[in-house]
């Protein structure tokens, strides 16, 4: 197995790690049901993955792409705006149903089914997004079932990830913007929250992270944000010192 893993050198570390994890799961199952006495992969060091750094692209670029979507195509405008303004995973957006929405005035939110079948509530706190959502529902007349549906052949089934990936790349090209992935919309939203001093615990809940370490990757704030916080802290400290004097 060591020789086999070594022969996979042309693959990325992530690909090799996935193959190793698959083998480990197989042998773990075999040990559990007494097909093997021990798991041989336990004696092989795990392939180390480089620490991935979130890659936000900035609001201006994303808004430029969304503006490139024809105004009459409400579905696509709403889908990509929703992912961007709430930090949803693309897969989470595609599994949304009308029944997951609560459009109570001033308390609009949605229930999202995330990784590990964990449900969380995500606040719809952007007024423009809420108005776009209501306009979309009024136009389509949808009252139940998938929120985002395929229109090809009038099947009305839920959109597939491959379909929206191709659409997003088309709109990126139309906007004259480089290769920006759908997942970078999520990174951009999280980075915005960090730079606006939203607490990491709140960001963790909003993004549906199971581990705080994942959220901490976004805590590398830009210098301007860090400087602003330090200046604010210094001003408050100076005011307290003046009051004491």
């Amino acid at each position: 197995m060591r020789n086999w893993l070594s022969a996979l050198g042309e693959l990325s570390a992530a690909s090799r790690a996935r193959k190793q994890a698959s083998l480990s799961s197989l042998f773990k199952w075999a040990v559990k049901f007494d097909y093997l006495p021990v798991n041989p992969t336990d004696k092989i060091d795990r392939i180390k993955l480089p620490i991935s750094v979130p890659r936000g692209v900035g609001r201006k670029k994303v808004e430029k792409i969304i503006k490139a979507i024809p105004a009459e195509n409400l579905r696509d405008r709403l889908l990509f705006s929703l992912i961007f303004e709430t930090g949803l995973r693309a897969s989470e957006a595609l599994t949304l149903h009308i029944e997951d929405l609560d459009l109570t005035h001033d308390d609009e939110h949605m229930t999202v089914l995330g990784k590990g079948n964990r449900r969380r509530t995500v606040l719809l706190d952007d007024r423009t997004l809420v108005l776009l959502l209501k306009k979309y529902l009024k136009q389509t007349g949808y009252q139940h079932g998938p929120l985002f549906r395929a229109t090809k052949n009038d099947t009305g089934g839920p959109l597939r990830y491959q379909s929206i990936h191709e659409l997003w790349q088309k709109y990126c090209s139309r906007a004259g913007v480089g290769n920006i992935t759908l997942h970078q919309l999520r990174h951009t939203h999280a980075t915005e929250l960090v730079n606006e001093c939203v607490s990491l615990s709140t960001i963790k809940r909003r993004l549906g992270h199971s581990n705080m370490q994942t959220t901490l990757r976004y805590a590398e704030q830009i210098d301007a944000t860090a400087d602003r916080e330090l200046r604010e802290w210094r001003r408050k400290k100076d005011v307290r010192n003046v009051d004491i004097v």
Side-chain angles (χ1 to χ4, degrees):
M1 275 188 289
R2 286 195 182 95
N3 290 338
W4 179 72
L5 287 170
S6 297
L8 300 176
E10 74 280 1
L11 299 178
S12 68
S15 296
R16 287 183 282 121
R18 283 195 296 271
K19 291 181 181 294
Q20 185 180 23
S22 297
L23 274 179
S24 180
S25 295
L26 171 64
F27 288 127
K28 184 178 179 180
W29 173 86
V31 170
K32 180 179 180 180
F33 291 98
D34 298 323
Y35 289 103
L36 287 176
V38 294
N39 184 343
T41 60
D42 287 344
K43 295 185 177 182
I44 299 177
D45 292 335
R46 288 284 182 180
I47 294 171
K48 293 182 178 179
L49 296 175
I51 298 175
S52 59
V53 178
R55 297 176 297 140
V57 296
R59 174 168 287 273
K60 287 184 178 180
K61 278 189 177 181
V62 177
E63 289 181 340
K64 184 177 181 181
I65 299 169
I66 292 176
K67 285 179 181 178
I69 302 173
E72 64 274 13
N73 196 333
L74 286 180
R75 185 199 65 184
D76 294 356
R77 278 207 166 199
L78 175 62
L79 172 60
F80 299 125
S81 296
L82 185 70
I83 293 172
F84 174 52
E85 297 292 358
T86 64
L88 290 186
R89 299 177 179 93
S91 58
E92 293 171 341
L94 293 177
T95 56
L96 281 172
H97 278 56
I98 308 299
E99 293 84 351
D100 297 324
L101 304 174
D102 185 338
L103 298 181
T104 302
H105 183 62
D106 280 344
D107 187 29
E108 294 90 350
H109 58 271
M110 56 189 175
T111 302
V112 177
L113 182 63
K115 281 187 176 180
N117 288 324
R118 293 187 297 270
R119 290 192 175 273
R120 71 184 188 279
T121 299
V122 176
L123 185 66
L124 295 170
D125 52 331
D126 183 88
R127 301 311 305 168
T128 302
L129 178 64
V130 170
L131 290 174
L132 185 62
L133 173 57
K134 290 180 177 179
K135 184 177 180 180
Y136 171 74
L137 291 174
K138 183 178 180 179
Q139 183 189 79
T140 59
Y142 295 159
Q143 297 182 6
H144 56 80
L147 178 60
F148 298 109
R149 309 181 189 186
T151 56
K152 187 176 181 180
N153 299 326
D154 295 322
T155 58
L159 275 172
R160 297 181 299 111
Y161 178 84
Q162 184 59 34
S163 297
I164 69 166
H165 170 74
E166 292 173 0
L167 283 169
W168 178 248
Q169 293 303 313
K170 180 181 74 174
Y171 294 134
C172 286
S173 177
R174 182 178 294 178
V177 177
N179 185 28
I180 294 175
T181 67
L182 278 172
H183 204 64
Q184 282 179 279
L185 298 183
R186 177 173 164 88
H187 290 326
T188 303
H189 179 68
T191 302
E192 274 193 347
L193 294 180
V194 169
N195 290 337
E196 292 300 324
C197 303
V198 176
S199 70
L200 289 177
S201 58
T202 297
I203 297 173
K204 174 179 178 292
R205 180 167 181 78
R206 186 167 177 87
L207 298 183
H209 290 156
S210 59
N211 192 321
M212 180 59 84
Q213 290 301 121
T214 305
T215 314
L216 284 171
R217 294 183 305 160
Y218 296 96
E220 292 298 325
Q221 302 179 5
I222 60 174
D223 290 343
T225 302
D227 290 348
R228 185 175 69 242
E229 286 189 9
L230 288 170
R231 289 190 181 104
E232 184 178 344
W233 168 78
R234 175 61 64 184
R235 282 197 299 269
K236 290 178 180 179
K237 187 168 184 280
D238 290 344
V239 169
R240 286 197 300 269
N241 290 338
V242 169
D243 290 342
I244 292 173
V245 173

